[in-house]
Amino acid sequence: MFTDSHCHLSFPELSANLPDILNAMSQAQVDRALCICTTLEEFEAVHALSRDHANLWSTVGVHPDNEGVTEPSMDDLLQRAALPRVVGIGETGLDYYRLNGRSVADMEWQRERFRVHIRAGRQTDLPLVIHTRSASDDTLAILKEEGGFAGGGAQVVSRGVFHCFTETEAVARAALDLDFMISFSGILTFRNAADLREVARFVPLDRMLIETDSPYLAPVPYRGKTNNPSFVPFVARQIAEIKGLAVEAVAKATSENFDRLFNRVVSSS
């Protein structure tokens, strides 16, 4: 019934307990999960999860925060994106939260990495999984510059999802205007997330995904514990409460949205 659109099952906190997690997902009616790649070094482990389990899929990308790792070329991304059960590019984007004494101008390497991912997404016609933190203006500006949104016709344009959304309604509106979806995580259930719940009220249900971003950000009532995809129904329940809907309606809509965005999931299942 539920789809976790963003998790990190290859991370050691989860990979060591994978059979138990898959069983917990089944018990919680979490039918599917998308395993997100954060480095090229990690890709084989992420892809193996999707090869070995019929209800898991994978992406390829290098997280903006990761330094000291292999810098992805277009060929690196395109070759891996062509493999079976790889359905997205990312996670990618910009993160200026921890500059560590550097200026925003010093983060040009992040911006160039982001551009490579956007170009790979356009060439493969796969959706982008966008991470943005303290960098929404530049994230949106680069998407507009690189995404091919003008022109129309048969031109391939960027599409995707702003994952683990924690930005303002104005940023959500701008992302929606670029035809991106918005994904909410367990942060939505936190007591201090009232502003974010108002953003969720604004985002149309047909443009929304749910996720855990596990092993991080476990929702209430598991906050502070190791997160896993079986907890994604708590995100759906919070959205159902915000929108005055049945949780089943949120589960159905967000799963259908997932299929529509990551359409290779349908064709490869």
Side-chain angles (χ1 to χ4, degrees):
M1 186 164 73
F2 300 94
T3 300
D4 183 354
S5 68
H6 193 113
C7 64
H8 297 281
L9 291 180
S10 61
F11 284 16
E13 301 96 315
L14 300 180
S15 62
N17 300 304
L18 188 61
D20 290 342
I21 289 169
L22 292 172
N23 182 62
M25 287 172 60
S26 177
Q27 294 297 313
Q29 295 183 283
V30 181
D31 300 325
R32 304 176 300 181
L34 180 58
C35 301
I36 302 297
C37 179
T38 63
T39 65
L40 293 182
E41 289 83 352
E42 178 197 20
F43 173 77
E44 182 52 39
V46 175
H47 190 226
L49 288 164
S50 63
R51 291 198 314 267
D52 294 346
H53 302 281
N55 63 334
L56 303 179
W57 282 267
S58 55
T59 68
V60 57
V62 179
H63 191 288
D65 244 357
N66 283 331
E67 300 183 61
V69 298
T70 301
E71 195 63 35
S73 68
M74 278 285 287
D75 283 347
D76 289 328
L77 297 175
L78 295 178
Q79 289 174 15
R80 290 164 176 80
L83 295 172
R85 303 186 71 76
V86 178
V87 298
I89 302 292
E91 64 186 282
T92 182
L94 299 174
D95 193 321
Y96 300 160
Y97 183 70
R98 295 184 183 89
L99 293 175
N100 296 322
R102 296 171 292 191
S103 70
V104 169
D106 294 329
M107 308 305 284
E108 182 59 29
W109 61 273
Q110 268 197 16
R111 293 186 285 275
E112 183 54 34
R113 179 186 287 178
F114 187 25
R115 292 179 191 278
V116 171
H117 283 77
I118 296 169
R119 293 165 190 169
R122 290 187 63 193
Q123 190 156 328
T124 58
D125 195 23
L126 290 180
L128 299 166
V129 178
I130 302 291
H131 169 107
T132 184
R133 191 177 189 193
S134 302
S136 58
D137 287 348
D138 280 359
T139 301
L140 291 165
I142 291 173
L143 278 172
K144 290 174 184 176
E145 291 168 12
E146 294 282 347
F149 299 102
Q155 183 181 22
V156 175
V157 300
S158 294
R159 58 196 175 95
V161 56
F162 277 61
H163 105 91
C164 193
F165 196 83
T166 55
E167 303 291 334
T168 64
E169 182 178 317
V171 176
R173 187 184 302 275
L176 293 170
D177 286 346
L178 293 177
D179 207 26
F180 276 68
M181 291 193 181
I182 305 291
S183 181
F184 293 100
S185 71
I187 294 174
L188 200 64
T189 69
F190 295 178
R191 185 171 59 182
N192 62 352
D195 289 348
L196 186 61
R197 286 188 282 275
E198 287 305 306
V199 176
R201 192 185 311 277
F202 160 74
V203 174
L205 186 59
D206 66 355
R207 304 290 298 282
M208 187 181 289
L209 298 178
I210 55 175
E211 64 171 274
T212 58
D213 201 13
S214 50
Y216 311 117
L217 304 174
V220 174
Y222 297 102
R223 188 174 182 183
K225 300 184 182 298
T226 301
N227 201 3
N228 75 75
S230 73
F231 294 166
V232 81
F234 291 97
V235 182
R237 288 177 187 133
Q238 182 66 77
I239 292 169
E241 181 179 326
I242 291 167
K243 292 191 173 290
L245 298 169
V247 69
E248 292 83 2
V250 174
K252 182 175 186 291
T254 52
S255 290
E256 289 175 350
N257 297 342
F258 181 86
D259 282 343
R260 192 167 73 252
L261 180 60
F262 296 101
N263 52 24
R264 199 187 286 184
V265 170
V266 176
S267 60
S268 66
S269 59

